[in-house]
Amino acid sequence: MTAETDRDTRNSLAAHSGGVVSESAHTALRADIRRLGSLLGGTLTQHGGPELLDLVERIRRLSRQAAAGDNGADGADGDSAAATTQLDDLLGDVDPGTATQLARAFSTFFLLANIAEQLHRYREIADTQQGDPLRELVPRLVEEVGGDALIEVLGRTELRPVFTAHPTEASRQSVLGILRRVADILGRGETDPRAQRRLAELIDLLWQTDEIRPGKPTVADETRAIAYYLERLGESTVPDVLEKLDIALADAGLRLPQRARPIRLGSWVGGDRDGNPNVSPEVTMESMALYAERAIRLQTTLLEELVQELSVSTRIVGVSEGMRQALALDRRQLPEIYDRYIRRNAEEPYRLKCSYILARLANTRIRITDERPHRPGRDYLGAGEFIADLEVMDASLRGHLGARIAEGTLARALRSARATGLHLAALDVREHTDRHHAALAELFDLVGENGYGELDRPDRISRLSAELLGRRPLTARHQLPDGETKEVLAVFDTLRRAQRTFGESAAHTYIVSMAQDADDILAVAVLAREAGLLEVAGERTWSKLDMVPLFETAAELRKAGELLDGLLSDPGYRELVRARGEPAPVGGLAACRGNSAAGPIAHAFLCGVLRWQIALRCAGGT
């Protein structure tokens, strides 16, 4: 086996295995697990006496012996059977209190062992990568498809990891925070007495912290758990990855368009209603408020770093006219901030600008918490104006000998803002298609047009297509009786309310479960029109919603192209797609398609390279 083949094999094994592969990684991992296990033993002795630790060790040894026979070890069958019998007898005599302590002991050990394994697996994958994958891939793409075509594709590329949750995985943030601090110490390779003391403290804290809250996990618990990971991604991982992309492009003499957003984060938690009656409109708004609070906290931290960093003085360099105009407008909109900081920052325009931005972030948090209306200029509605404020500083710095300064904390803040906005993750709402048709059947009945529920799919498509192109409201809301139809319409009302509170980019995707034909999407379009989320009116057609059919069976997947062709053939739906920014044909891309290698490479540019970095950095706590 050649050295290159051996390296490729190790890379593949490391990327796809469930744990570490190399012997050196196994040795290091075992050492860390022994270290954590020894400290946990001290915790067990402190809380349950030597008897508890002895019992745990006996159970561990017997379990290993019992498992040896299951694994087919030579001559192990007899020993395995005896160990299984001893284990059954031992556990059969344990009282409930001791059983609880045993369960917590093993659960705590596995939490610690898992975090150590995740850390070492990340290290091994990072070590087996020869250089930065992006810096290897960009030149290859430039050579094969051309720099202009690559930048055009990347300008429209959007990798959107969407997070969901299972109730059994709603770990408490307190536990996640402790494990992250454990990973930080292990990651630094510290073995001195201070590190040992800190690890012992954290393990004691982990033992004395409930792993889960009493009672059944709620949607709010799931939201907080997911928000923890999303915040970590927006804080470090996503900016780090995008910085590597910028560096790789710069090496090739290229730069992303200013408005490009290669990564955006998404979530289903708080919006997935299919099969979960606990996700009410109120819960959705509460989830979005929590995401927004975390996002504003994240951006506030970055801006506070900028205040400390951007000490650039106009006594030494100038600023752009755009910056001057922005500061003049800021003074009119937030005069109290000007009065508070002008003496201190009279010649430091970037610090003064950051103070205005921080004030708007604080006002945005208060507006959302108090459910107040948006006040233009005093707070932000969505991330558009926030990003524009950062871009004014970026352009001014780059135009006045500050390009390298702009590549520091300001660039990180911009990358984070473009990925997370002021909502942390775009919330997807998901509902089953049958509920939409049932609601429409009742609405049609209320206007005297009975029989919708008995129509076959072609007739439903015709009926809904005509309704979508019409202008009438199907019913006055106050006439609706309480029931499922009112609940379905309330979800669309919630989406409209969410966009007015958090901005359109915070909630603009509606996923239709078990979609089978065009009528399933047209039904959503009609209901969304009732809530004021879209309108089909010729040249004045507009839409604030992306409707996404979810093909969940093999039959629908096989005919997905046919179904989408049918949708795009509907004149009303076609206008809605155009209103959402249907891309125009691009000559450069047409040329790329002629190259058999270019298309697949460009299409998968970010996915393969970023997936492992995002997933493993998040899991490894680094």
Side-chain angles (χ1 to χ4, degrees):
M1 180 182 291
T2 66
E4 182 177 358
T5 302
D6 180 59
R7 186 194 70 196
D8 291 343
T9 301
R10 287 187 288 108
N11 287 354
S12 178
L13 286 171
H16 295 97
S17 70
V20 297
V21 174
S22 68
E23 185 57 38
S24 61
H26 271 294
T27 300
L29 173 59
R30 286 194 295 266
D32 273 344
I33 290 178
R34 283 195 301 270
R35 181 184 180 189
L36 295 172
S38 176
L39 292 172
L40 177 59
T43 298
L44 297 180
T45 301
Q46 179 181 343
H47 287 82
E51 299 82 4
L52 176 61
L53 179 60
D54 179 65
L55 182 58
V56 167
E57 286 299 305
R58 290 172 61 195
I59 292 172
R60 184 182 65 82
R61 286 194 297 270
L62 289 171
S63 297
R64 288 173 62 89
Q65 293 172 16
D70 295 336
N71 294 333
D74 293 339
D77 288 346
D79 293 340
S80 172
T84 300
T85 301
Q86 293 179 51
L87 188 60
D88 289 343
D89 293 340
L90 182 60
L91 293 176
D93 294 333
V94 169
D95 62 83
T98 303
T100 300
Q101 286 191 307
L102 286 174
R104 295 196 67 244
F106 283 102
S107 175
T108 303
F109 174 78
F110 289 134
L111 286 173
L112 294 169
N114 285 343
I115 202 68
E117 183 176 17
Q118 289 168 4
L119 176 65
H120 283 277
R121 183 170 182 241
Y122 166 72
R123 278 181 173 173
E124 186 173 55
I125 292 176
D127 290 344
T128 55
Q129 293 289 341
Q130 300 298 309
D132 185 346
L134 283 169
R135 299 186 78 176
E136 296 175 3
L137 182 57
V138 167
R140 176 185 171 192
L141 290 175
V142 170
E143 180 181 353
E144 296 191 13
V145 305
D148 291 342
L150 174 59
I151 289 300
E152 198 285 326
V153 170
L154 288 178
R156 296 189 292 109
T157 295
E158 182 179 304
L159 175 65
R160 189 179 170 204
V162 180
F163 290 75
T164 186
H166 191 280
T168 60
E169 297 176 358
S171 300
R172 294 186 62 197
Q173 289 184 59
S174 299
V175 172
L176 296 174
I178 295 169
L179 293 174
R180 182 179 178 85
R181 295 195 290 277
V182 169
D184 286 341
I185 296 174
L186 295 179
R188 293 193 294 267
E190 298 175 353
T191 58
D192 57 73
R194 290 179 60 196
Q196 284 292 99
R197 183 174 180 177
R198 181 60 175 149
L199 280 175
E201 172 194 337
L202 290 170
I203 291 172
D204 271 3
L205 186 58
L206 184 62
W207 176 262
Q208 296 182 34
T209 300
D210 279 331
E211 184 178 351
I212 58 174
R213 294 187 183 277
K216 183 179 179 181
T218 66
V219 178
D221 294 331
E222 295 177 352
T223 303
R224 282 189 288 268
I226 289 296
Y228 172 87
Y229 290 108
L230 292 169
E231 192 174 359
R232 301 287 81 73
L233 289 172
E235 176 184 50
S236 57
T237 304
V238 170
D240 286 348
V241 171
L242 292 178
E243 183 177 14
K244 290 184 178 182
L245 174 58
D246 283 343
I247 292 171
L249 291 172
D251 288 347
L254 303 172
R255 187 180 177 190
L256 277 176
Q258 186 180 48
R259 300 293 180 179
R261 298 186 182 183
I263 302 177
R264 292 195 188 191
L265 302 180
S267 176
W268 277 17
V269 182
D272 186 3
R273 296 174 52 82
D274 186 12
N276 190 348
N278 297 316
V279 182
S280 64
E282 293 76 16
V283 165
T284 295
M285 289 298 293
E286 291 169 2
S287 297
M288 296 191 69
L290 187 145
Y291 290 139
E293 189 275 330
R294 299 296 176 83
I296 293 171
R297 181 172 71 183
L298 168 61
Q299 304 305 337
T300 297
T301 299
L302 290 171
L303 260 294
E304 288 172 344
E305 292 178 18
L306 274 178
V307 170
Q308 300 300 316
E309 180 178 302
L310 293 183
S311 55
V312 177
S313 172
T314 53
R315 293 182 180 182
I316 302 173
V317 294
V319 297
S320 69
E321 182 59 28
M323 183 73 168
R324 295 180 191 277
Q325 293 177 4
L327 288 171
L329 180 61
D330 290 336
R331 180 179 180 179
R332 293 194 296 272
Q333 293 173 333
L334 294 163
E336 70 277 12
I337 302 301
Y338 177 85
D339 294 340
R340 186 184 308 165
Y341 292 104
I342 187 57
R343 186 186 65 81
R344 185 189 309 170
N345 302 135
E347 284 81 32
E348 296 175 335
Y350 297 102
R351 280 180 166 169
L352 184 58
K353 181 65 178 175
C354 287
S355 296
Y356 287 122
I357 298 173
L358 283 168
R360 290 190 179 104
L361 288 172
N363 290 340
T364 303
R365 179 188 289 112
I366 293 171
R367 173 180 66 79
I368 292 172
T369 301
D370 295 347
E371 299 183 357
R372 298 177 184 175
H374 167 55
R375 294 180 297 170
R378 294 194 62 84
D379 61 56
Y380 294 116
L381 177 60
E385 291 178 350
F386 171 60
I387 293 173
D389 275 344
L390 297 177
E391 289 174 343
V392 165
M393 293 194 292
D394 180 75
S396 181
L397 282 169
R398 293 181 187 279
H400 292 80
L401 306 177
R404 284 183 287 192
I405 299 172
E407 287 299 331
T409 304
L410 177 57
R412 291 187 65 80
L414 266 168
R415 293 176 186 121
S416 178
R418 288 167 178 158
T420 67
L422 296 180
H423 53 269
L424 196 62
L427 185 70
D428 291 351
V429 171
R430 184 170 76 120
E431 183 60 278
H432 197 286
T433 185
D434 288 348
R435 298 200 74 196
H436 305 138
H437 290 301
L440 282 168
E442 183 171 354
L443 292 180
F444 280 121
D445 287 346
L446 288 172
V447 296
E449 299 177 9
N450 301 325
Y452 175 85
E454 286 72 46
L455 296 177
D456 58 17
R457 288 195 181 274
D459 287 340
R460 268 203 315 222
I461 291 172
S462 298
R463 180 81 164 270
L464 293 169
S465 180
E467 187 63 42
L468 184 61
L469 291 170
R471 303 296 300 276
R472 66 168 180 175
L474 277 176
T475 183
R477 294 302 180 86
H478 66 272
Q479 296 177 352
L480 278 176
D482 291 338
E484 287 203 6
T485 298
K486 197 167 187 175
E487 290 179 6
V488 170
L489 289 172
V491 175
F492 290 93
D493 290 339
T494 299
L495 274 170
R496 186 182 183 191
R497 179 185 167 198
Q499 292 185 0
R500 290 178 172 177
T501 302
F502 307 102
E504 182 181 329
S505 59
H508 59 88
T509 302
Y510 195 100
I511 299 175
V512 188
S513 292
M514 293 306 298
Q516 296 179 326
D517 211 328
D519 59 318
D520 296 326
I521 304 302
L522 293 175
V524 173
V526 171
L527 293 169
R529 186 200 63 183
E530 289 292 298
L533 288 166
L534 58 87
E535 184 64 68
V536 182
E539 294 182 357
R540 300 192 305 277
T541 295
W542 56 272
S543 174
K544 296 184 177 181
L545 196 66
D546 295 323
M547 291 158 283
V548 180
L550 187 59
F551 301 129
E552 300 182 70
T553 69
E556 276 72 54
L557 286 171
R558 279 193 292 268
K559 62 177 183 177
E562 176 187 338
L563 299 181
L564 291 176
D565 284 343
L567 262 178
L568 295 174
S569 298
D570 182 86
Y573 188 80
R574 184 70 182 189
E575 287 300 309
L576 291 177
V577 172
R578 190 170 289 112
R580 292 300 292 168
E582 180 181 54
V586 179
L589 287 181
C592 288
R593 294 189 188 100
N595 184 325
S596 61
I601 294 174
H603 176 74
F605 177 78
L606 289 175
C607 299
V609 177
L610 303 185
R611 178 181 56 204
W612 67 270
Q613 297 194 49
I614 291 175
L616 296 180
R617 282 187 166 199
C618 181
T622 60

